[in-house]
Amino acid sequence: MSLRIYLFFKFYDKGGYCIDYGVGMSRILVTGGAGFLGSHLCERLLEVGHEVCCTDNFYTGTRRNISHLLSNPYFDLIRHDVQLPLHLEIDEIYNLACPASPIHYQLNPIQTLKTNINGAINMLGLAKCNKAKIVQASSSEVYGDPEVHPQPESYWGKVNPACIRSCYIEGKRCAETLFFSYYHQHGLQIKIARIFNTYGPRMHPNDGRVISNFIVQALKGDDITIYGVGEQTRSFCYVDDLIEGLIGLMGTPAGITGPVNLGSPCEISIGQLAERILALTGSSSKLVYLPLPQDDPQQRQPEISRARALLNWQPKVMLNNGLRKTINYFEHLLSKGGDGNV
């Protein structure tokens, strides 16, 4: 049985509101903890008084993302691939390990499938041994190219299992199935978050995702590449909001498994996003239109009534405010010659 120390903390949330935490210091594992989302999650968990173990194989995560945490005595970093078993004493697990951008997950599709499937099996096994709660970072990709808009959790999706994106899509779908199998067969305390497009500081500058692409291109004065005619829509959630949603989901009672959509319900076209980033950066970059990739979804917008009801959660950061913070991050990164390497 793991030792749990009970402490009382007073913190201020992102909006400056005082919060009292009468919490136990839990030992929490974050897989993929040196990645974009993982590093923000590790940081936030430490802020609210937990002990954090971060694992990453540094395929897409970088040491730069968690360098400011290394001196914290309650933070441990383990270089580890979730495809391999891991033995730790742990209270909670956030399973975030998987490349999330098409450029990275399509580079080695078999590896992507193994990370999703074998990683889920190994982390579920670890949770079972420790009787720990576990959150799976699933994805809006499980909905494929949806015929229902916006997408509720009850929608089963429209997915092509043979397209170039299917290594990620089907990997995430299979991971969800594994999580529910462990729930039904072993009574494991699982939580599934379906994460929609998220952005913010520490995004990889070369990950091919639309916001990082547009901002880096605009800051460099390069052409801004839009696939298709720019009418496809997305909904963008700032990273701080997303992290609060994940932590809120972990804190729900045992019977609440999800899936729960986490993302912004505010929809914007890719063309409008490009124009907005041009305006915020003051860039003179030109818009260039390229062929639309195979099976690129035309619409992505979460229906978040379940998150509102179960977690009392919805995004707070407006798109322009989040974009400014993200632009500032990339300006600083590029000024130091940052190229996204580990």
Side-chain angles (χ1 to χ4, degrees):
M1 182 180 296
S2 60
L3 177 66
R4 186 170 297 189
I5 304 170
Y6 286 89
L7 302 170
F8 286 86
F9 299 93
K10 182 175 285 187
F11 295 98
Y12 290 85
D13 71 6
K14 300 296 181 179
Y17 299 101
C18 182
I19 305 172
D20 287 305
Y21 290 88
V23 297
M25 177 185 278
S26 296
R27 182 163 169 80
I28 301 176
L29 172 64
V30 179
T31 71
F36 163 48
L37 292 181
S39 63
H40 284 278
L41 178 59
C42 288
E43 185 176 71
R44 185 63 175 142
L45 291 170
L46 288 168
E47 285 178 2
V48 297
H50 295 298
E51 185 178 352
V52 175
C53 180
C54 162
T55 67
D56 208 294
N57 67 354
F58 296 102
Y59 178 62
T60 57
T62 71
R63 293 183 184 275
R64 179 181 62 242
N65 286 343
I66 42 89
S67 60
H68 63 297
L69 303 178
L70 295 175
S71 61
N72 190 315
Y74 296 105
F75 180 77
D76 293 322
L77 172 63
I78 301 173
R79 185 163 193 148
H80 180 80
D81 192 320
V82 293
Q83 294 183 57
L84 302 173
L86 184 65
H87 303 286
L88 292 171
E89 288 188 4
I90 218 78
D91 299 305
E92 296 176 355
I93 302 170
Y94 290 86
N95 186 35
L96 274 61
C98 185
S101 76
I103 284 179
H104 292 141
Y105 70 63
Q106 291 171 18
L107 187 64
N108 192 333
I110 295 174
Q111 194 82 349
T112 298
L113 278 165
K114 287 181 176 179
T115 298
N116 276 306
I117 297 170
N118 293 343
I121 291 171
N122 287 326
M123 291 305 105
L124 287 163
L126 180 61
K128 181 172 177 281
C129 287
N130 283 274
K131 298 182 179 179
K133 292 192 291 184
I134 181 168
V135 166
Q136 165 67 3
S138 191
S139 169
S140 61
E141 289 288 335
V142 301
Y143 298 119
D145 188 6
E147 296 175 318
V148 173
H149 188 76
Q151 294 82 58
E153 293 89 349
S154 58
Y155 177 54
W156 291 355
K158 176 193 174 190
V159 175
N160 175 3
C163 72
I164 59 173
R165 303 166 70 98
S166 60
C167 59
Y168 183 78
I169 297 170
E170 298 293 6
K172 289 294 186 183
R173 289 166 68 95
C174 184
E176 286 196 15
T177 301
L178 283 164
F179 267 67
F180 276 107
S181 296
Y182 270 75
Y183 171 70
H184 293 301
Q185 189 167 337
H186 300 296
L188 203 63
Q189 293 188 60
I190 67 159
K191 316 283 180 181
I192 294 175
R194 289 181 179 164
I195 299 172
F196 283 67
N197 293 71
T198 307
Y199 71 100
R202 301 184 204 148
M203 293 185 80
H204 198 295
N206 302 319
D207 68 2
R209 287 189 272 195
V210 63
I211 284 186
S212 53
N213 259 11
F214 285 180
I215 290 176
V216 171
Q217 289 168 343
L219 292 175
K220 288 183 173 181
D222 297 339
D223 291 340
I224 289 185
T225 51
I226 296 178
Y227 294 96
V229 296
E231 293 180 354
Q232 67 270 41
T233 65
R234 297 293 185 271
S235 304
F236 297 100
C237 181
Y238 189 64
V239 62
D240 287 354
D241 286 329
L242 190 281
I243 296 306
E244 295 304 319
L246 286 175
I247 294 173
L249 180 59
M250 179 67 86
T252 55
I256 296 175
T257 61
V260 175
N261 287 339
L262 294 178
S264 170
C266 299
E267 191 177 16
I268 186 173
S269 75
I270 297 302
Q272 290 171 329
L273 177 68
E275 296 287 357
R276 190 169 298 195
I277 288 174
L278 282 175
L280 290 171
T281 57
S283 174
S284 58
S285 294
K286 297 179 180 178
L287 303 182
V288 174
Y289 297 86
L290 301 175
L292 194 68
Q294 178 190 1
D295 293 293
D296 190 62
Q298 288 300 302
Q299 292 179 305
R300 269 291 159 71
Q301 181 187 7
E303 205 287 318
I304 64 166
S305 60
R306 185 176 291 183
R308 288 192 178 105
L310 296 178
L311 316 181
N312 191 27
W313 178 90
Q314 63 182 10
K316 297 178 181 177
V317 178
M318 301 298 293
L319 181 59
N320 273 15
N321 293 337
L323 287 175
R324 289 190 186 96
K325 294 179 182 179
T326 310
I327 289 166
N328 289 340
Y329 168 78
F330 279 115
E331 283 179 330
H332 179 70
L333 185 67
L334 294 174
S335 72
K336 297 176 66 175
D339 59 2
N341 293 328
V342 174

